Amino acid sequence: MSLNLHKPLCFFDLETTGINIGKDRIVEISVLKIYPNGNKDSKTLRVNPGIPIPVEASSVHGITDEDVANEPSFKEIAPQIWEMMKDSDIAGYNSNRFDVPLLAEEFLRNGFDFDLEKHRLVDVQVIFFKKEPRDLTAAYQFYCGKTMENAHSAEADVEATYEIFKAQLKRYDDLENDIKFLSEYTSQRKTADLAGMIGIDEKGNEIFNFGKYKGQSVKEVFEKDMGYYGWIQNADFPLYTKKVLTKIRLSPS
């Protein structure tokens, strides 16, 4: 179907150095511009962010410091991107929460007066989540064909979760009825602690995900700056994070 557009609509996506809108930078941007008559323009550019790309970010989008070492800065490509998007409405996936705010920061940082009042925003992820709910009630209806009574009471929720789990195992042949397999299948953590403050690099070593030693080996930091360990232990960090850091500090080299 053709889109009913009153002005061009730019779909765009960013790959970045991280998820901090104020501090992180773009390493790749792709824009697909749809005109009211159905014509299309597209542009995809790599960007040298001017700061190191953390290992955690590279593991997601596959772009490393070496990949962008000779690419232009955002300041250099901003005029091209601005020219594509300045007269358009803007669309993306999870774009209202992340991509648009970060792009706005980059534009403003480089002298382009990005103004939300000049653009309508469409977030495709929001449509997906509103039309296809992913909460427990929706899962219970989808897998078990039942309507939840007393949703959000602890007893009803836990009973429904148990029934959904059994229905999933019955529905999907590739799911092994084995807790070890299912634990690995459902794991999304790439961190050593529960709060995500201690990451794990590509070699399996624990690294800091925060602070002045962000991206550096926890073990090596403690070897050169034991005071940092003491500061963490006395500061307002999660107890489990402190426990994991203590285990790392006491582990043999």
Side-chain angles (χ1 to χ4, degrees):
M1 64 172 292
S2 59
L3 297 176
N4 181 21
L5 303 178
H6 302 287
K7 60 193 289 190
L9 179 63
C10 280
F11 291 85
F12 85 107
D13 186 67
L14 304 177
E15 303 301 342
T16 67
T17 59
I19 58 174
N20 186 310
I21 290 167
K23 295 181 180 179
D24 280 304
R25 300 289 188 268
I26 296 169
V27 297
E28 186 175 68
I29 180 169
S30 184
V31 182
L32 173 63
K33 186 172 185 176
I34 312 297
Y35 293 89
N37 65 5
N39 289 345
K40 302 176 183 178
D41 281 336
S42 64
K43 189 180 295 292
T44 299
L45 297 168
R46 289 275 176 93
V47 183
N48 186 328
I51 60 174
I53 303 174
V55 172
E56 304 94 320
S58 293
S59 68
V60 174
H61 50 55
I63 303 171
T64 65
D65 290 331
E66 293 75 18
D67 294 328
V68 296
N70 298 315
E71 299 293 345
S73 65
F74 187 81
K75 182 176 183 178
E76 293 174 276
I77 69 161
Q80 301 177 56
I81 304 302
W82 182 256
E83 192 61 32
M84 286 190 76
M85 302 182 76
K86 67 180 182 180
D87 63 341
S88 303
D89 292 324
I90 297 173
Y93 193 87
N94 193 32
S95 48
N96 288 356
R97 294 180 59 188
F98 180 71
D99 297 75
V100 171
L102 196 147
L103 181 64
E105 290 294 307
E106 290 276 37
F107 273 140
L108 293 170
R109 191 179 294 121
N110 289 284
F112 292 86
D113 187 22
F114 184 87
D115 186 349
L116 275 181
E117 293 184 2
K118 297 178 180 178
H119 309 274
R120 293 186 181 90
L121 305 181
V122 178
D123 193 325
V124 175
Q125 186 191 68
V126 173
I127 296 173
F128 176 37
F129 285 176
K130 285 187 174 182
K131 290 298 184 182
E132 304 292 339
R134 290 297 186 266
D135 59 13
L136 185 63
T137 300
Y140 194 56
Q141 177 64 48
F142 181 80
Y143 287 107
C144 303
K146 301 177 183 177
T147 300
M148 275 194 70
E149 303 293 338
N150 301 317
H152 302 301
S153 75
E155 183 177 4
D157 286 1
V158 75
E159 289 290 343
T161 303
Y162 171 55
E163 288 191 47
I164 291 166
F165 181 52
K166 292 190 294 181
Q168 287 173 328
L169 291 175
K170 184 176 180 180
R171 186 183 189 94
Y172 303 115
D173 293 337
D174 60 331
L175 290 184
E176 297 178 21
N177 192 355
D178 175 79
I179 296 301
K180 180 177 182 297
F181 168 86
L182 293 165
S183 175
E184 293 173 354
Y185 185 85
T186 59
S187 176
Q188 295 178 308
R189 291 177 54 225
K190 293 183 179 179
T191 60
D193 67 329
L194 295 173
M197 305 191 82
I198 310 167
I200 300 174
D201 66 17
E202 70 278 7
K203 296 180 181 178
N205 299 316
E206 296 90 352
I207 58 174
F208 284 109
N209 274 345
F210 68 93
K212 64 180 180 179
Y213 293 119
K214 184 176 180 179
Q216 296 187 39
S217 162
V218 173
K219 194 74 174 176
E220 291 177 2
V221 168
F222 286 165
E223 288 174 356
K224 67 182 180 182
D225 186 359
M226 183 54 68
Y228 197 60
Y229 169 79
W231 171 74
I232 291 172
Q233 293 300 317
N234 290 312
D236 187 23
F237 285 92
L239 293 177
Y240 192 81
T241 299
K242 293 181 180 182
K243 171 188 166 99
V244 172
L245 289 172
T246 298
K247 182 177 180 181
I248 295 171
R249 183 180 72 86
L250 297 176
S251 65
S253 299

